Amino acid sequence: MAAYRYCEAVTGLQARNFSYGIRLLPEPKRLAMSALYALARRVDDIGDGDLPDDRKAEALLRTRELLDEIRAGVVAEDDTDPIKVALADAARRFPIPLGGFDELIDGVEMDLKGAEYQTYEELKVYCRCVAGAIGRLSLGVYGCDDPERGAAYADTLGLALQLTNILRDLREDALNGRTYLPAEDLVRFGCQQGFALPRPPAGADFAGLVAFEAGRAQAAFEEGLRLLPMLDRRSRACTAAMAGIYHRLLGRIAADPESVLRGRVSLPGWEKAYVALSGLAGGRS
């Protein structure tokens, strides 16, 4: 179907880490995951785009209306929005909890309001919206032996991935006027001045801050990866591949904290491919 091919193109072009994982899925699940990603990408692009905030709010509202159309089963196959068509078809084939997209939109609206997080518990709410929700949406495609426990582990794995993202994008977010790390942690490590410069703030224990947050992410990885035995082999491989790529990023950041202030930390393509193949072979790296 052309709509799915469009979603696959979006995924391949804009989600290289994600695409390494979903390549391991059988075609029906791979196409459904591409549709999930394409809509999630649209929501993220609205939040990160250059439109005025009121226009962004309108675009997010239209996305909620799109979800209502899918839930109502009224999307025509010849609709001009390929993402809507593909996701509607995926929702007919798999028990996808579409409310996860509403949570993702909630998270983007937090960004539009300039939300800051005083405590780790507050940050976890945001992470549940923008990352845990994607994990729970994915479980609808994968299937899971224990859906309730699986959803909890998916939330925790999403937290691990999002904390890694936050550390990786620390300077980029600062230059865009955003700070995601809890204010209480910034105070504790003397980093209240922020991260807009390519060097840590004078007198700050930046390495200590990164080590502390990386430790949280590592604990979340260890808990969230308990999801793997609940999935079938191909879905397990997909999840292990995506988690493995981010886990390696976390290791790079923990080993060289100031690297996140110098540029975007990433893995070469060969290493991502190795992690994906390791997941298919049953590894967790």
Side-chain angles (χ1 to χ4, degrees):
M1 181 188 295
Y4 277 125
R5 302 307 172 199
Y6 174 87
C7 293
E8 283 195 303
V10 170
T11 303
L13 182 64
Q14 300 191 40
R16 294 178 182 176
N17 290 347
F18 187 82
S19 64
Y20 273 95
I22 67 171
R23 289 176 191 173
L24 304 176
L25 294 171
E27 184 177 48
K29 291 185 178 182
R30 187 183 73 247
L31 295 176
M33 289 295 291
S34 294
L36 291 183
Y37 176 80
L39 185 61
R41 179 76 264 168
R42 176 182 290 179
V43 173
D44 284 344
D45 286 347
I46 291 169
D48 293 337
D50 297 327
L51 292 174
D53 285 353
D54 59 339
R55 296 280 302 281
K56 290 181 179 181
E58 291 173 4
L60 292 174
L61 179 58
R62 287 195 298 271
T63 306
R64 292 190 192 273
E65 292 169 348
L66 176 155
L67 291 167
D68 289 339
E69 289 183 51
I70 293 174
R71 279 186 279 252
V74 296
V75 178
E77 289 189 9
D78 60 351
D79 191 284
T80 57
D81 183 342
I83 296 176
K84 184 198 299 187
V85 173
L87 185 57
D89 185 75
R92 286 191 291 267
R93 297 173 184 269
F94 298 98
I96 298 171
L98 293 172
F101 283 114
D102 292 293
E103 291 184 68
L104 175 60
I105 294 169
D106 290 342
V108 172
E109 288 176 341
M110 292 180 199
D111 284 335
L112 293 186
K113 295 173 183 175
E116 296 184 353
Y117 307 99
Q118 297 300 312
T119 68
Y120 182 52
E121 290 304 312
E122 291 179 4
L123 177 61
K124 285 166 69 176
V125 173
Y126 171 78
C127 292
R128 174 182 170 85
C129 288
V130 299
I134 302 300
R136 284 177 273 114
L137 285 161
S138 300
L139 280 187
V141 175
Y142 296 156
C144 181
D145 291 343
D146 186 339
E148 185 173 347
R149 287 176 60 220
Y153 289 142
D155 258 347
T156 305
L157 191 55
L159 172 64
L161 270 59
Q162 190 62 25
L163 287 174
T164 303
N165 270 337
I166 288 170
L167 289 174
R168 182 193 63 186
D169 298 339
L170 210 57
R171 185 158 186 247
E172 180 180 335
D173 288 334
L175 293 173
N176 289 325
R178 295 177 178 174
T179 301
Y180 291 97
L181 292 180
E184 63 182 9
D185 297 348
L186 300 182
V187 171
R188 176 180 176 182
F189 292 95
C191 293
Q192 307 94 303
Q193 296 177 46
F195 311 103
L197 298 176
R199 298 285 298 172
D205 183 10
F206 181 73
L209 173 67
V210 172
F212 182 67
E213 305 298 351
R216 281 175 163 166
Q218 175 63 29
F221 270 115
E222 292 173 2
E223 176 74 9
L225 286 170
R226 294 183 182 182
L227 172 65
L228 295 182
M230 300 180 181
L231 307 177
D232 65 65
R233 178 174 176 268
R234 299 279 286 274
S235 299
R236 182 167 61 246
C238 175
T239 303
M242 288 187 284
I245 289 169
Y246 277 88
H247 191 244
R248 285 188 172 225
L249 281 175
L250 180 66
R252 297 275 174 90
I253 292 167
D256 182 9
E258 291 189 26
S259 63
V260 299
L261 300 179
R262 297 192 297 268
R264 190 179 183 88
V265 180
S266 62
L267 301 182
W270 69 263
E271 189 169 357
K272 293 178 183 179
Y274 169 78
V275 173
L277 289 173
S278 176
L280 189 59
R284 283 175 44 155
S285 175

mmCIF file of all heavy atoms in Angstrom, residues 178-212:
data_model
loop_
_atom_site.group_PDB
_atom_site.id
_atom_site.type_symbol
_atom_site.label_atom_id
_atom_site.label_comp_id
_atom_site.label_asym_id
_atom_site.label_seq_id
_atom_site.Cartn_x
_atom_site.Cartn_y
_atom_site.Cartn_z
ATOM 1 N N ARG A 178 15.560 25.315 26.404
ATOM 2 C CA ARG A 178 14.895 24.243 27.132
ATOM 3 C C ARG A 178 15.861 23.554 28.096
ATOM 4 O O ARG A 178 17.019 23.300 27.755
ATOM 5 C CB ARG A 178 14.326 23.196 26.170
ATOM 6 C CG ARG A 178 13.218 23.714 25.278
ATOM 7 C CD ARG A 178 12.770 22.624 24.321
ATOM 8 N NE ARG A 178 11.676 23.058 23.465
ATOM 9 C CZ ARG A 178 11.168 22.337 22.466
ATOM 10 N NH1 ARG A 178 11.675 21.134 22.214
ATOM 11 N NH2 ARG A 178 10.175 22.793 21.731
ATOM 12 N N THR A 179 15.360 23.247 29.265
ATOM 13 C CA THR A 179 16.105 22.465 30.243
ATOM 14 C C THR A 179 15.185 21.374 30.763
ATOM 15 O O THR A 179 14.086 21.663 31.247
ATOM 16 C CB THR A 179 16.581 23.338 31.421
ATOM 17 O OG1 THR A 179 17.414 24.389 30.925
ATOM 18 C CG2 THR A 179 17.382 22.496 32.423
ATOM 19 N N TYR A 180 15.624 20.134 30.634
ATOM 20 C CA TYR A 180 14.787 19.015 31.053
ATOM 21 C C TYR A 180 15.242 18.374 32.359
ATOM 22 O O TYR A 180 14.428 17.806 33.077
ATOM 23 C CB TYR A 180 14.752 17.945 29.953
ATOM 24 C CG TYR A 180 14.001 18.390 28.723
ATOM 25 C CD1 TYR A 180 14.668 18.905 27.621
ATOM 26 C CD2 TYR A 180 12.612 18.320 28.670
ATOM 27 C CE1 TYR A 180 13.976 19.324 26.497
ATOM 28 C CE2 TYR A 180 11.909 18.738 27.545
ATOM 29 C CZ TYR A 180 12.603 19.236 26.461
ATOM 30 O OH TYR A 180 11.913 19.660 25.352
ATOM 31 N N LEU A 181 16.519 18.447 32.670
ATOM 32 C CA LEU A 181 16.975 17.828 33.910
ATOM 33 C C LEU A 181 16.322 18.515 35.105
ATOM 34 O O LEU A 181 16.083 19.726 35.085
ATOM 35 C CB LEU A 181 18.499 17.904 34.020
ATOM 36 C CG LEU A 181 19.281 17.059 33.020
ATOM 37 C CD1 LEU A 181 20.778 17.228 33.248
ATOM 38 C CD2 LEU A 181 18.895 15.592 33.114
ATOM 39 N N PRO A 182 16.020 17.771 36.160
ATOM 40 C CA PRO A 182 15.329 18.356 37.315
ATOM 41 C C PRO A 182 16.125 19.495 37.938
ATOM 42 O O PRO A 182 17.347 19.401 38.114
ATOM 43 C CB PRO A 182 15.201 17.177 38.284
ATOM 44 C CG PRO A 182 15.269 15.954 37.416
ATOM 45 C CD PRO A 182 16.217 16.310 36.308
ATOM 46 N N ALA A 183 15.426 20.560 38.301
ATOM 47 C CA ALA A 183 16.078 21.736 38.895
ATOM 48 C C ALA A 183 16.815 21.363 40.173
ATOM 49 O O ALA A 183 17.898 21.901 40.455
ATOM 50 C CB ALA A 183 15.043 22.822 39.167
ATOM 51 N N GLU A 184 16.264 20.437 40.953
ATOM 52 C CA GLU A 184 16.921 20.055 42.200
ATOM 53 C C GLU A 184 18.276 19.403 41.932
ATOM 54 O O GLU A 184 19.210 19.557 42.728
ATOM 55 C CB GLU A 184 16.024 19.122 43.023
ATOM 56 C CG GLU A 184 15.712 17.796 42.365
ATOM 57 C CD GLU A 184 14.777 16.930 43.201
ATOM 58 O OE1 GLU A 184 14.229 17.439 44.211
ATOM 59 O OE2 GLU A 184 14.595 15.747 42.845
ATOM 60 N N ASP A 185 18.415 18.709 40.805
ATOM 61 C CA ASP A 185 19.693 18.094 40.460
ATOM 62 C C ASP A 185 20.694 19.147 39.990
ATOM 63 O O ASP A 185 21.890 19.071 40.302
ATOM 64 C CB ASP A 185 19.506 17.048 39.367
ATOM 65 C CG ASP A 185 18.633 15.888 39.812
ATOM 66 O OD1 ASP A 185 18.371 15.777 41.027
ATOM 67 O OD2 ASP A 185 18.199 15.104 38.942
ATOM 68 N N LEU A 186 20.214 20.134 39.238
ATOM 69 C CA LEU A 186 21.099 21.202 38.778
ATOM 70 C C LEU A 186 21.681 21.961 39.967
ATOM 71 O O LEU A 186 22.873 22.293 39.987
ATOM 72 C CB LEU A 186 20.338 22.154 37.858
ATOM 73 C CG LEU A 186 19.737 21.546 36.588
ATOM 74 C CD1 LEU A 186 19.049 22.628 35.757
ATOM 75 C CD2 LEU A 186 20.792 20.841 35.744
ATOM 76 N N VAL A 187 20.852 22.223 40.960
ATOM 77 C CA VAL A 187 21.316 22.906 42.170
ATOM 78 C C VAL A 187 22.329 22.028 42.903
ATOM 79 O O VAL A 187 23.396 22.494 43.339
ATOM 80 C CB VAL A 187 20.131 23.261 43.080
ATOM 81 C CG1 VAL A 187 20.629 23.770 44.439
ATOM 82 C CG2 VAL A 187 19.240 24.300 42.419
ATOM 83 N N ARG A 188 22.017 20.772 43.052
ATOM 84 C CA ARG A 188 22.884 19.848 43.792
ATOM 85 C C ARG A 188 24.286 19.793 43.214
ATOM 86 O O ARG A 188 25.278 19.712 43.959
ATOM 87 C CB ARG A 188 22.260 18.455 43.773
ATOM 88 C CG ARG A 188 23.104 17.377 44.433
ATOM 89 C CD ARG A 188 22.406 16.029 44.370
ATOM 90 N NE ARG A 188 23.228 14.960 44.906
ATOM 91 C CZ ARG A 188 22.874 13.682 44.943
ATOM 92 N NH1 ARG A 188 21.694 13.308 44.477
ATOM 93 N NH2 ARG A 188 23.696 12.774 45.445
ATOM 94 N N PHE A 189 24.405 19.875 41.875
ATOM 95 C CA PHE A 189 25.711 19.757 41.227
ATOM 96 C C PHE A 189 26.240 21.100 40.715
ATOM 97 O O PHE A 189 27.210 21.130 39.954
ATOM 98 C CB PHE A 189 25.634 18.740 40.096
ATOM 99 C CG PHE A 189 25.421 17.331 40.575
ATOM 100 C CD1 PHE A 189 24.140 16.790 40.631
ATOM 101 C CD2 PHE A 189 26.484 16.559 41.000
ATOM 102 C CE1 PHE A 189 23.930 15.491 41.079
ATOM 103 C CE2 PHE A 189 26.292 15.263 41.454
ATOM 104 C CZ PHE A 189 25.016 14.726 41.506
ATOM 105 N N GLY A 190 25.612 22.194 41.130
ATOM 106 C CA GLY A 190 26.110 23.514 40.773
ATOM 107 C C GLY A 190 26.016 23.861 39.305
ATOM 108 O O GLY A 190 26.851 24.598 38.774
ATOM 109 N N CYS A 191 24.975 23.345 38.644
ATOM 110 C CA CYS A 191 24.833 23.556 37.202
ATOM 111 C C CYS A 191 23.637 24.438 36.852
ATOM 112 O O CYS A 191 23.091 24.340 35.746
ATOM 113 C CB CYS A 191 24.704 22.210 36.488
ATOM 114 S SG CYS A 191 26.201 21.202 36.544
ATOM 115 N N GLN A 192 23.228 25.307 37.763
ATOM 116 C CA GLN A 192 22.049 26.138 37.511
ATOM 117 C C GLN A 192 22.245 27.089 36.341
ATOM 118 O O GLN A 192 21.260 27.579 35.771
ATOM 119 C CB GLN A 192 21.697 26.971 38.750
ATOM 120 C CG GLN A 192 21.547 26.212 40.038
ATOM 121 C CD GLN A 192 22.833 26.188 40.861
ATOM 122 O OE1 GLN A 192 23.857 25.749 40.377
ATOM 123 N NE2 GLN A 192 22.760 26.668 42.097
ATOM 124 N N GLN A 193 23.501 27.383 35.967
ATOM 125 C CA GLN A 193 23.751 28.327 34.878
ATOM 126 C C GLN A 193 23.371 27.760 33.516
ATOM 127 O O GLN A 193 23.287 28.503 32.541
ATOM 128 C CB GLN A 193 25.235 28.723 34.866
ATOM 129 C CG GLN A 193 25.677 29.477 36.104
ATOM 130 C CD GLN A 193 27.165 29.777 36.056
ATOM 131 O OE1 GLN A 193 27.696 30.228 35.035
ATOM 132 N NE2 GLN A 193 27.861 29.499 37.147
ATOM 133 N N GLY A 194 23.167 26.473 33.438
ATOM 134 C CA GLY A 194 22.758 25.874 32.177
ATOM 135 C C GLY A 194 23.930 25.380 31.357
ATOM 136 O O GLY A 194 25.075 25.342 31.817
ATOM 137 N N PHE A 195 23.629 25.053 30.094
ATOM 138 C CA PHE A 195 24.599 24.331 29.267
ATOM 139 C C PHE A 195 24.730 24.941 27.874
ATOM 140 O O PHE A 195 24.952 24.222 26.894
ATOM 141 C CB PHE A 195 24.180 22.862 29.161
ATOM 142 C CG PHE A 195 23.865 22.251 30.504
ATOM 143 C CD1 PHE A 195 22.546 22.056 30.887
ATOM 144 C CD2 PHE A 195 24.875 21.915 31.377
ATOM 145 C CE1 PHE A 195 22.250 21.516 32.126
ATOM 146 C CE2 PHE A 195 24.592 21.376 32.626
ATOM 147 C CZ PHE A 195 23.278 21.168 33.004
ATOM 148 N N ALA A 196 24.621 26.252 27.777
ATOM 149 C CA ALA A 196 24.670 26.912 26.473
ATOM 150 C C ALA A 196 26.095 27.092 25.966
ATOM 151 O O ALA A 196 26.303 27.467 24.811
ATOM 152 C CB ALA A 196 23.973 28.267 26.539
ATOM 153 N N LEU A 197 27.096 26.814 26.811
ATOM 154 C CA LEU A 197 28.495 26.971 26.411
ATOM 155 C C LEU A 197 29.133 25.597 26.199
ATOM 156 O O LEU A 197 28.693 24.604 26.783
ATOM 157 C CB LEU A 197 29.266 27.743 27.493
ATOM 158 C CG LEU A 197 28.778 29.178 27.768
ATOM 159 C CD1 LEU A 197 29.547 29.781 28.923
ATOM 160 C CD2 LEU A 197 28.914 30.037 26.518
ATOM 161 N N PRO A 198 30.199 25.539 25.376
ATOM 162 C CA PRO A 198 30.840 24.247 25.094
ATOM 163 C C PRO A 198 31.716 23.734 26.224
ATOM 164 O O PRO A 198 32.400 22.725 26.067
ATOM 165 C CB PRO A 198 31.670 24.536 23.835
ATOM 166 C CG PRO A 198 31.948 25.993 23.886
ATOM 167 C CD PRO A 198 30.747 26.618 24.523
ATOM 168 N N ARG A 199 31.709 24.418 27.362
ATOM 169 C CA ARG A 199 32.423 23.962 28.543
ATOM 170 C C ARG A 199 31.462 23.987 29.730
ATOM 171 O O ARG A 199 30.500 24.767 29.755
ATOM 172 C CB ARG A 199 33.609 24.887 28.852
ATOM 173 C CG ARG A 199 34.644 24.939 27.758
ATOM 174 C CD ARG A 199 35.497 23.691 27.704
ATOM 175 N NE ARG A 199 36.257 23.497 28.935
ATOM 176 C CZ ARG A 199 36.957 22.420 29.223
ATOM 177 N NH1 ARG A 199 36.964 21.411 28.354
ATOM 178 N NH2 ARG A 199 37.632 22.335 30.336
ATOM 179 N N PRO A 200 31.665 23.145 30.736
ATOM 180 C CA PRO A 200 30.777 23.170 31.902
ATOM 181 C C PRO A 200 30.842 24.513 32.607
ATOM 182 O O PRO A 200 31.841 25.236 32.524
ATOM 183 C CB PRO A 200 31.345 22.052 32.794
ATOM 184 C CG PRO A 200 32.164 21.199 31.894
ATOM 185 C CD PRO A 200 32.706 22.116 30.831
ATOM 186 N N PRO A 201 29.782 24.882 33.322
ATOM 187 C CA PRO A 201 29.806 26.127 34.097
ATOM 188 C C PRO A 201 30.955 26.122 35.106
ATOM 189 O O PRO A 201 31.296 25.073 35.671
ATOM 190 C CB PRO A 201 28.443 26.129 34.804
ATOM 191 C CG PRO A 201 27.580 25.207 33.997
ATOM 192 C CD PRO A 201 28.501 24.178 33.435
ATOM 193 N N ALA A 202 31.546 27.276 35.330
ATOM 194 C CA ALA A 202 32.667 27.383 36.266
ATOM 195 C C ALA A 202 32.241 26.896 37.648
ATOM 196 O O ALA A 202 31.200 27.301 38.173
ATOM 197 C CB ALA A 202 33.156 28.825 36.336
ATOM 198 N N GLY A 203 33.053 26.026 38.221
ATOM 199 C CA GLY A 203 32.782 25.533 39.571
ATOM 200 C C GLY A 203 31.741 24.444 39.661
ATOM 201 O O GLY A 203 31.451 23.949 40.751
ATOM 202 N N ALA A 204 31.159 24.061 38.532
ATOM 203 C CA ALA A 204 30.107 23.048 38.546
ATOM 204 C C ALA A 204 30.707 21.652 38.531
ATOM 205 O O ALA A 204 31.778 21.417 37.959
ATOM 206 C CB ALA A 204 29.200 23.229 37.339
ATOM 207 N N ASP A 205 30.016 20.724 39.146
ATOM 208 C CA ASP A 205 30.394 19.306 39.070
ATOM 209 C C ASP A 205 29.589 18.663 37.929
ATOM 210 O O ASP A 205 28.684 17.864 38.164
ATOM 211 C CB ASP A 205 30.112 18.616 40.400
ATOM 212 C CG ASP A 205 30.543 17.157 40.409
ATOM 213 O OD1 ASP A 205 31.231 16.733 39.458
ATOM 214 O OD2 ASP A 205 30.179 16.437 41.354
ATOM 215 N N PHE A 206 29.951 19.045 36.708
ATOM 216 C CA PHE A 206 29.206 18.557 35.553
ATOM 217 C C PHE A 206 29.350 17.050 35.404
ATOM 218 O O PHE A 206 28.376 16.348 35.110
ATOM 219 C CB PHE A 206 29.689 19.277 34.287
ATOM 220 C CG PHE A 206 28.964 18.861 33.046
ATOM 221 C CD1 PHE A 206 27.661 19.266 32.804
ATOM 222 C CD2 PHE A 206 29.579 18.037 32.102
ATOM 223 C CE1 PHE A 206 26.981 18.880 31.656
ATOM 224 C CE2 PHE A 206 28.917 17.646 30.957
ATOM 225 C CZ PHE A 206 27.616 18.066 30.733
ATOM 226 N N ALA A 207 30.553 16.537 35.591
ATOM 227 C CA ALA A 207 30.762 15.095 35.483
ATOM 228 C C ALA A 207 29.916 14.354 36.512
ATOM 229 O O ALA A 207 29.354 13.287 36.220
ATOM 230 C CB ALA A 207 32.234 14.766 35.677
ATOM 231 N N GLY A 208 29.800 14.913 37.711
ATOM 232 C CA GLY A 208 28.974 14.291 38.730
ATOM 233 C C GLY A 208 27.509 14.274 38.348
ATOM 234 O O GLY A 208 26.799 13.284 38.590
ATOM 235 N N LEU A 209 27.041 15.370 37.743
ATOM 236 C CA LEU A 209 25.652 15.434 37.295
ATOM 237 C C LEU A 209 25.378 14.378 36.237
ATOM 238 O O LEU A 209 24.372 13.648 36.324
ATOM 239 C CB LEU A 209 25.356 16.831 36.726
ATOM 240 C CG LEU A 209 23.988 17.007 36.072
ATOM 241 C CD1 LEU A 209 22.874 16.912 37.100
ATOM 242 C CD2 LEU A 209 23.907 18.329 35.307
ATOM 243 N N VAL A 210 26.252 14.286 35.245
ATOM 244 C CA VAL A 210 26.036 13.312 34.167
ATOM 245 C C VAL A 210 26.086 11.892 34.722
ATOM 246 O O VAL A 210 25.261 11.041 34.362
ATOM 247 C CB VAL A 210 27.077 13.506 33.048
ATOM 248 C CG1 VAL A 210 26.989 12.371 32.025
ATOM 249 C CG2 VAL A 210 26.855 14.851 32.352
ATOM 250 N N ALA A 211 27.028 11.622 35.617
ATOM 251 C CA ALA A 211 27.117 10.292 36.207
ATOM 252 C C ALA A 211 25.847 9.952 36.982
ATOM 253 O O ALA A 211 25.353 8.813 36.925
ATOM 254 C CB ALA A 211 28.339 10.208 37.121
ATOM 255 N N PHE A 212 25.305 10.914 37.697
ATOM 256 C CA PHE A 212 24.095 10.696 38.485
ATOM 257 C C PHE A 212 22.910 10.374 37.575
ATOM 258 O O PHE A 212 22.177 9.400 37.808
ATOM 259 C CB PHE A 212 23.808 11.947 39.311
ATOM 260 C CG PHE A 212 22.613 11.844 40.207
ATOM 261 C CD1 PHE A 212 22.600 10.982 41.288
ATOM 262 C CD2 PHE A 212 21.488 12.629 39.971
ATOM 263 C CE1 PHE A 212 21.488 10.895 42.123
ATOM 264 C CE2 PHE A 212 20.378 12.549 40.784
ATOM 265 C CZ PHE A 212 20.380 11.680 41.871
#
